[in-house]
């Protein structure tokens, strides 16, 4: 399963690493790809569609989910 989220506030490589680390730590997530230029975060795995868990992980990293597709 794959889900795409739009994350607001990322401005550098450190931001990307933080989001990848926090989202990647969600049980059931097997992959995280972040495009800094667009703010798109592609999440893979059984938990990819768990909006609450992914949003909480992004917020833990210090950023905000503004959309999910």
């Amino acid at each position: 399963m794959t889900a795409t989220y739009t994350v607001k506030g990322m401005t550098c490589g450190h931001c990307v690493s933080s989001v990848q680390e926090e989202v990647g730590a969600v049980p059931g997530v097997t992959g995280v790809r972040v495009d800094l230029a667009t703010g798109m975060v592609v999440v893979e795995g059984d938990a990819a569609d768990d909006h609450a868990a992914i949003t909480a992980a992004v917020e833990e990293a210090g950023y905000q989910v503004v959309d999910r597709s």
Side-chain angles (χ1 to χ4, degrees), residues 6-42:
T6 303
V7 174
K8 179 180 176 183
M10 297 185 295
T11 59
C12 65
H14 176 73
C15 304
V16 170
S17 296
S18 295
V19 169
Q20 286 176 323
E21 181 178 326
E22 291 295 336
V23 175
V26 172
V29 170
T30 58
V32 181
R33 290 177 284 148
V34 179
D35 185 322
L36 178 60
T38 63
M40 302 297 282
V41 177
V42 178

Side-chain angles (χ1 to χ4, degrees), residues 20-69:
Q20 286 176 323
E21 181 178 326
E22 291 295 336
V23 175
V26 172
V29 170
T30 58
V32 181
R33 290 177 284 148
V34 179
D35 185 322
L36 178 60
T38 63
M40 302 297 282
V41 177
V42 178
V43 182
E44 299 171 347
D46 291 340
D49 203 32
D50 187 342
H51 183 71
I54 301 303
T55 297
V58 169
E59 289 176 354
E60 180 67 25
Y63 307 98
Q64 180 183 12
V65 172
V66 293
D67 193 22
R68 179 180 166 265
S69 55

